[in-house]
Amino acid sequence: MNAAPAPSPVPPASAAPAPRPAASAAMPSRLAQFYALTKPRVVQLIVFCAFIGMVLAVPGLPSAAQWAMMAVASAGIWLVAGAAAAFNCLVERRIDARMKRTAWRPTARGELSGAQALAFSALLCAAGSALLYLAVNPLTMWLTFATFVGYAVVYTVILKPLTPQNIVIGGASGAMPPVLGWAAMTGQVGPEAMILFLIIFLWTPPHFWALALYRVEDYRKSGLPMLPVTHGNEFTRLQVFLYTLILFAGCMMPFVYGMSSWIYLIAAVALGIGFCVYGFLLWRDYSDQLARRTFRFSLIHLSVLFAALLVDHYLL
């Protein structure tokens, strides 16, 4: 620890008090750094998907008690998801420092130490797990904790640096939010929840590989065996297109199984065709700009698809 600076001479009585902007600004800045570790935009999408699982698990309009349960479960899932994101930032801080997309993260810049990030992650995970166990149900807590281990340890530590199929296998952790939401409201995992899991599982590879295509130099510098680095641009583009076709079929499952009706079907068909068109164009005539547009559309695809499930659930 650095030694404290020597005290300054006492100013004359007529001098104005010295301003102290650093002390007043330090706390908000540090809070912002810790908040950035939770990857807020990613966690927001996770909680949104979990919330959809909660709502779909409840027939009709939820009661006041069920709305309260949803709020508590969402908070618990947010805390554990934020913990997983913070642990990911800790483990990958040196990799993040070599990539333009992630070099701004507080752990990559050295603004937060490894010990601080680890303590923050542990605190969030413990708080979220306790909240889910005590206020929701043990099944949701254990599933959420398993998701934390799957993402933070199995994917980040083991799969990501070892295989170009990391995002496919590790995508199982990212597909869990609707299952967590369903378990929170029912205390079990039903086939409907697994259909939602399947949709996100199939959505993850074309979503992520579109990003990896135009960030390939970043991943090459990082040393991670991402598909565009190990198998090349053309092969990855073909995989994106093929996965959009498989995803299109997977998105029909809620209608086929009977958990949705024509409102969802129309949205799923329109979004699926749009994603397939992007995938085809990306395969046949690549550009970084098109890859960016495909990545952005993938976010719209999942958000609108799940919103359509929600609308369908209440209108029909």
Side-chain angles (χ1 to χ4, degrees), residues 76-279:
I77 292 169
W78 187 95
L79 287 167
V80 179
F87 190 82
N88 173 268
C89 290
L90 166 64
V91 173
E92 297 191 340
R93 61 191 184 279
R94 293 183 180 84
I95 294 173
D96 288 344
R98 296 196 292 266
M99 300 175 63
K100 292 180 182 179
R101 183 174 67 90
T102 55
W104 61 271
R105 289 175 179 166
T107 42
R109 292 169 60 90
E111 296 169 342
L112 293 175
S113 69
Q116 288 173 317
L118 181 60
F120 180 64
S121 175
L123 178 64
L124 290 185
C125 186
S129 297
L131 184 62
L132 292 172
Y133 188 90
L134 297 173
V136 183
N137 59 60
L139 175 62
T140 304
M141 188 281 289
W142 286 116
L143 288 174
T144 306
F145 182 74
T147 302
F148 171 89
V149 173
Y151 175 75
V153 179
V154 177
Y155 169 69
T156 301
V157 178
I158 301 174
L159 292 175
K160 196 170 183 180
L162 290 182
T163 170
Q165 291 298 310
N166 46 28
I167 197 63
V168 177
I169 306 169
S173 296
M176 282 297 290
V179 179
L180 306 180
W182 195 278
M185 303 308 296
T186 65
Q188 60 184 359
V189 176
E192 298 90 346
M194 297 311 299
I195 289 174
L196 301 178
F197 170 92
L198 177 66
I199 290 173
I200 301 179
F201 181 76
L202 296 175
W203 169 88
T204 301
H207 158 76
F208 185 83
W209 284 334
L211 168 69
L213 280 167
Y214 69 86
R215 295 286 189 180
V216 63
E217 291 306 318
D218 262 359
Y219 286 113
R220 186 171 284 116
K221 292 176 185 176
S222 74
L224 293 172
M226 294 303 175
L227 196 65
V229 176
T230 60
H231 288 69
N233 181 286
E234 184 175 355
F235 181 82
T236 305
R237 286 152 43 198
L238 175 60
Q239 296 304 303
V240 170
F241 175 52
L242 293 177
Y243 262 97
T244 60
L245 297 176
I246 298 171
L247 174 64
F248 184 93
C251 290
M252 298 299 106
M253 286 297 295
F255 179 78
V256 172
Y257 187 74
M259 62 182 290
S260 67
S261 62
W262 62 269
I263 293 179
Y264 168 80
L265 180 63
I266 292 172
V269 169
L271 291 165
I273 290 174
F275 208 173
C276 289
V277 168
Y278 269 109

